[in-house]
Amino acid sequence: PGYGGSAPLEPTKPDARDYAAALAGFLDTLGVDSCHLVGHSLGALIACAFTQRWPERVKSLMIADPATGYGTADPAVRAERMAARLDMLDRLGPEGMANERSGVLLSETAPEDARRRVRDVMARIRPDGYRQAVAMLFGGDIHADARRISLPVRVVCGGDDTVTPPAGCEKIAASFPNAQFEILPGLGHASYVEGPDAFNAALADHLSARG
């Protein structure tokens, strides 16, 4: 919601549960009762919130390069970092932000087609949708949701991810009662864009293990 051609959510400052409810509605519209759920980055917060609320609808869960959220951070630190993100958007606009920040989502050795794809997607960000996503990030706490999810989970992370580094992703995996952790060597934060073969191999293995 709030990205691409999708309308923003109703709440001005939604949390992951609001996005999870939108996902539930989307699946209802498609007639999908249950699914294998994959969440990347901010999508990991949504996927975990969805699984916590509707565990019977999730056949398996895999999260990649997961965002932790700032829900438990010091309020002053949280406010400062949130303001910095929004100020960058106001100052540069989506295209300028893409030119300045898209490279952070990839490793130094990422191919040019991956760089172009990430840059193009970031340049099309809708400011209203981005602001809502930032609100979700700064109110989120993936560790709290993870502790309440009982099904087996696969957590993967690019080995060269500087946005959500492997050490932090491994801590997230440890918060689940039952999780496997895997590093995808040489990949940055947008691991599925930069290394689709490695990402798909990890996903295929996960799906095979879950039947």
Side-chain angles (χ1 to χ4, degrees):
Y3 280 65
S6 299
L9 293 172
E10 287 295 328
T12 303
K13 296 182 178 179
D15 60 25
R17 293 170 297 181
D18 295 308
Y19 284 89
L23 174 58
F26 178 68
L27 294 176
D28 290 343
T29 299
L30 294 178
V32 176
D33 294 327
S34 62
C35 65
H36 296 280
L37 188 57
V38 181
H40 173 265
S41 192
L42 283 177
L45 287 166
I46 300 170
C48 286
F50 181 93
T51 303
Q52 183 185 334
R53 174 63 180 81
W54 291 282
E56 73 282 358
R57 301 192 70 171
V58 182
K59 295 179 180 179
S60 73
L61 176 62
M62 175 169 147
I63 58 174
D65 308 279
T68 303
Y70 289 86
T72 61
D74 177 89
V77 173
R78 186 166 64 241
E80 179 182 352
R81 293 185 179 180
M82 185 174 183
R85 280 180 177 257
L86 297 178
D87 176 69
M88 178 179 296
L89 176 66
D90 292 339
R91 181 167 44 87
L92 300 175
E95 188 168 346
M97 190 168 67
N99 290 334
E100 184 167 312
R101 294 288 298 169
S102 61
V104 175
L105 303 184
L106 300 160
S107 74
E108 293 183 357
T109 59
E112 182 54 37
D113 62 331
R115 295 186 182 280
R116 183 168 51 251
R117 182 179 174 190
V118 170
R119 185 169 55 246
D120 289 349
V121 169
M122 187 178 287
R124 294 197 299 271
I125 282 174
R126 287 177 49 166
D128 52 357
Y130 182 79
R131 288 178 179 278
Q132 289 187 327
V134 169
M136 174 182 67
L137 173 64
F138 280 84
D141 177 13
I142 201 170
H143 292 284
D145 284 335
R147 289 190 285 268
R148 301 184 181 98
I149 294 173
S150 58
L151 83 165
V153 179
R154 176 76 66 97
V155 181
V156 301
C157 177
D160 289 345
D161 186 346
T162 59
V163 178
T164 57
C169 294
E170 188 169 15
K171 289 181 180 178
I172 291 172
S175 290
F176 290 96
N178 184 4
Q180 290 181 298
F181 176 66
E182 180 181 356
I183 291 177
L184 305 178
L187 301 182
H189 184 65
S191 54
Y192 69 97
V193 177
E194 184 174 348
D197 291 342
F199 188 93
N200 288 340
L203 177 57
D205 182 68
H206 164 71
L207 294 175
S208 176
R210 303 278 72 82

